[in-house]
Amino acid sequence: MAMNPQGRPSRPIHAVDPGAYEETFSGSKGLDQAEPLIFERGDFDNSGVDLPEPKGLETRTGGLERTARIGLPGLSEPETMRHYVRLSRKNYAIDLGLYPLGSCTMKHNPRLNEKLARLPGFIDIHPLQPQSTVQGAIELVGELARWLMTLTNTPCVAMSPKAGAHGELCGMMAIRAALDARGETRRRRVLVPESAHGTNPATAVQCGFTTDEIPADATGRVDMEAFKAKLGEDVAAIMLTNPNTCGLFERDIREIADLIHEAGGYFYCDGANFNAIVGRVRPGDLGIDAMHINLHKTFSTPHGGGGPGSGPTVFSEALAPFAPVPYVKKDGDTWSLVEHEAEAKADGNDPFGRMVAFHGQMGMFTRALSYMMSHGSDGLRQAAEDAVLNANYILARCREEMTPAFEGTCMHEALFDDRFLKDTGVSTLDFAKAMIDEGYHPMTMYFPLVVHGAMLIEPTETESKAGLDRFCDTLIQLARSAKAGETERFTQAPRFAPARRLDETRAARQPVLTHAAE
Ligand SMILES: *Cc1c(COP(=O)(O)O)cnc(C)c1O
């Protein structure tokens, strides 16, 4: 009898061929229930509350009251609760298992963070409350800002951007403002390595720059000769990720900083991979002028599946005056938020404007500071070191059957290409779908674009050796299976997921958003 690794039978003893009755009468599979979308259920006349029709109430809307249905679902409390609990069970999360999405850094979120984020003094306040009544909350933002400036060795941080991409926008707007202040309105070309995350060129273009791609060299890093050849009087900035999206440290980063500065441009660093170097490297020492920090990738906070983001952006001396409002200030024992341009000008600053209506992601600030203070400086450094160690463990174990994209060790993520699948009839996509059947969320696929059939695996620091071994065993067995010609295991996958293979291109271009339309 086939046994699983826990020693339990892997099929019922008298198993029938599942193919014979694969479709059920109800559409549900096992206890995984099929149901329509919430907007297709209930109607205006159904409601969770049961109030009598008010008597003798004159309408005062001048005949403008709605007569058609409002289009909202009308469900009772138990129906509503079941709907959302079922949905939550369909969602994959870092709290359910290994989440190896490279570039995304899906970190464990310690529960202590959640406890602190829910303290009434942080959660039950309003952004328009008088500042004198929320001194503790403003101090928390100021304290987190101090940690971020210390960890990066920079003199200024804008706390308000609400995601990494929003932080990029903040940084590039400051660069544009600084160039304009120098009267250099012709400097509009931004250099972007070809391995960059798509948000980098998108941000540059959004800010009115043009982008110019720098090729990678054979080691997966910036091709220095090509970079030097692109420098010129119209260069506004370089946007560089370090460690880069191939999971490699850009060794020439200091020279890159010097050269871009000599050419009159600024250095934007994409700090999404800061998790790999916290406590080891201070980006300010490397000559960066602006860098966003994805709090949700480096200082915990659950993300993905709708979780929030936050992208504080640090600035060098040269860009600090142009940072947006609001910012936190302390006078004596009083904390305040500088909200208006006139106030900032009195401080000698020249903010380019503001990014958000209020002050940023308060709940995430609380989680990030809780994470930092509970780890301490040594713990933060160890988290970074363990993240790199875990990625290298995967790289070392899987290299026997899979093909690493580049020579040598990696930083926090291991990058493979699809050479090991050559002539097997199995693509990177098929391989990823087979991982779902094995109980693993796929890694990031086909990114970075510089690597053919890329598979980017980032385990983060909290996975145990036993967990990593189970994961590597599965990848190695899948790779052997593909090479042994068991192509259908892959092309038919996922066989055990609620929905099988989707036409992803059509799903993106012509989304069918209701059950009824199927
Ligand atoms: C995640 C990521 C971003 C964008 O960050 P968001 O918070 O998702 O907006 C930018 N660059 C890199 C390299 C990333 O991994």
Side-chain angles (χ1 to χ4, degrees):
M1 190 190 312
M3 296 283 190
N4 72 10
Q6 286 80 39
R8 299 200 181 94
S10 57
R11 323 178 58 191
I13 294 165
H14 303 293
V16 291
D17 173 11
Y21 298 105
E22 212 167 87
E23 295 310 320
T24 59
F25 295 118
S26 62
S28 301
K29 296 242 166 98
L31 294 180
D32 185 14
Q33 304 199 3
E35 65 174 331
L37 302 179
I38 196 164
F39 285 99
E40 298 168 276
R41 303 192 53 199
D43 58 41
F44 194 42
D45 303 327
N46 292 340
S47 157
V49 289
D50 200 3
L51 296 174
E53 196 69 29
K55 286 204 182 73
L57 194 70
E58 292 249 331
T59 152
R60 287 185 286 173
T61 52
L64 293 175
E65 61 269 33
R66 181 182 51 244
T67 50
R69 294 189 174 248
I70 191 170
L72 289 177
L75 297 175
S76 67
E77 180 183 312
E79 286 173 316
T80 309
M81 191 193 64
R82 281 184 178 162
H83 174 78
Y84 285 108
V85 172
R86 280 181 199 147
L87 278 191
S88 75
R89 286 173 35 143
K90 290 197 204 302
N91 206 359
Y92 190 75
I94 187 70
D95 290 347
L96 285 169
L98 188 94
Y99 209 147
L101 271 190
S103 212
C104 298
T105 313
M106 305 301 274
K107 271 179 90 101
H108 168 64
N109 179 56
R111 288 307 172 270
L112 178 64
N113 293 352
E114 295 307 310
K115 189 170 172 187
L116 296 186
R118 282 166 179 72
L119 289 176
F122 294 133
I123 203 169
D124 293 338
I125 54 178
H126 192 279
L128 293 178
Q129 252 175 265
Q131 295 189 9
S132 63
T133 65
V134 286
Q135 284 290 297
I138 302 175
E139 179 175 353
L140 181 134
V141 182
E143 183 62 10
L144 177 60
R146 190 178 69 82
W147 274 78
L148 293 174
M149 290 186 288
T150 305
L151 288 168
T152 53
N153 192 26
T154 50
C156 168
V157 58
M159 296 298 292
S160 59
K162 295 204 168 182
H166 205 208
E168 289 174 35
L169 187 66
C170 178
M172 295 309 285
M173 287 176 82
I175 287 174
R176 200 181 149 128
L179 289 170
D180 289 354
R182 280 165 35 186
E184 298 219 56
T185 50
R186 294 247 179 98
R187 281 193 184 267
R188 287 294 180 259
R189 189 158 53 94
V190 172
L191 307 180
V192 184
E194 60 180 352
S195 65
H197 195 269
T199 49
N200 291 184
T203 300
V205 169
Q206 180 85 12
C207 287
F209 295 110
T210 58
T211 59
D212 193 0
E213 210 170 76
I214 319 171
D217 67 13
T219 75
R221 296 171 176 86
V222 168
D223 181 326
M224 288 300 285
E225 291 316 309
F227 164 65
K228 286 178 197 163
K230 285 184 184 293
L231 291 168
E233 286 187 348
D234 61 337
V235 168
I238 182 170
M239 294 183 87
L240 181 73
T241 311
N242 200 24
N244 71 20
T245 59
C246 297
L248 303 169
F249 196 83
E250 293 281 356
R251 299 184 198 117
D252 296 319
I253 186 164
R254 277 191 144 133
E255 194 185 347
I256 292 173
D258 289 344
L259 289 171
I260 194 82
H261 289 147
E262 273 165 33
Y266 292 100
F267 184 176
Y268 186 89
C269 185
D270 179 329
N273 294 334
F274 193 39
N275 192 53
I277 55 171
V278 174
R280 296 282 307 218
V281 179
R282 298 184 305 178
D285 297 340
L286 303 177
I288 64 139
D289 290 302
M291 181 180 95
H292 72 263
I293 299 165
N294 306 58
L295 291 186
H296 48 292
K297 294 180 182 174
T298 304
F299 300 109
S300 68
T301 289
H303 79 110
S310 180
T313 304
V314 295
F315 290 107
S316 65
E317 213 73 67
L319 292 183
F322 304 99
V325 287
Y327 59 87
V328 173
K329 207 165 115 170
K330 192 179 181 195
D331 277 319
D333 285 338
T334 308
W335 290 89
S336 62
L337 279 160
V338 175
E339 296 268 16
H340 303 290
E341 219 176 280
E343 242 181 303
K345 289 220 155 119
D347 285 345
N349 293 325
D350 190 11
F352 68 73
R354 66 184 298 145
M355 304 286 298
V356 299
F358 297 122
H359 320 304
Q361 301 278 38
M362 190 64 203
M364 293 194 54
F365 296 162
T366 318
R367 289 184 183 91
L369 189 63
S370 158
Y371 182 81
M372 290 172 173
M373 295 183 78
S374 55
H375 277 68
S377 57
D378 56 339
L380 290 178
R381 182 189 171 120
Q382 190 183 339
E385 290 171 350
D386 289 353
V388 174
L389 183 64
N390 277 1
N392 276 288
Y393 187 73
I394 290 178
L395 184 66
R397 274 215 56 198
C398 294
R399 94 179 325 139
E400 61 180 86
E401 290 292 347
M402 296 166 68
T403 38
F406 297 104
E407 295 273 310
T409 54
C410 62
M411 293 294 291
H412 59 303
E413 48 198 356
L415 178 59
F416 297 91
D417 59 24
D418 62 0
R419 277 173 300 155
F420 72 98
L421 294 175
K422 192 166 183 294
D423 301 331
T424 59
V426 176
S427 67
T428 290
L429 180 75
D430 300 326
F431 194 85
K433 297 294 183 196
M435 286 173 67
I436 297 176
D437 280 344
E438 298 289 339
Y440 285 109
H441 191 286
M443 70 295 257
T444 290
M445 295 179 283
Y446 300 108
F447 177 81
L449 306 176
V450 290
V451 167
H452 198 270
M455 304 180 198
L456 185 60
I457 304 179
E458 180 174 7
T460 75
E461 60 283 350
T462 42
E463 299 302 332
S464 66
K465 178 167 180 298
L468 292 178
D469 276 328
R470 263 201 310 278
F471 179 63
C472 292
D473 288 344
T474 305
L475 291 183
I476 290 168
Q477 280 162 329
L478 284 175
R480 285 188 187 142
S481 170
K483 290 176 196 175
E486 294 171 8
T487 318
E488 284 201 352
R489 179 196 297 281
F490 300 88
T491 52
Q492 296 300 309
R495 288 162 297 156
F496 307 124
R500 300 280 307 268
R501 204 64 86 92
L502 305 174
D503 180 341
E504 291 173 8
T505 312
R506 218 175 105 211
R509 301 231 166 112
Q510 299 162 15
V512 178
L513 299 178
T514 61
H515 251 248
E518 260 174 25

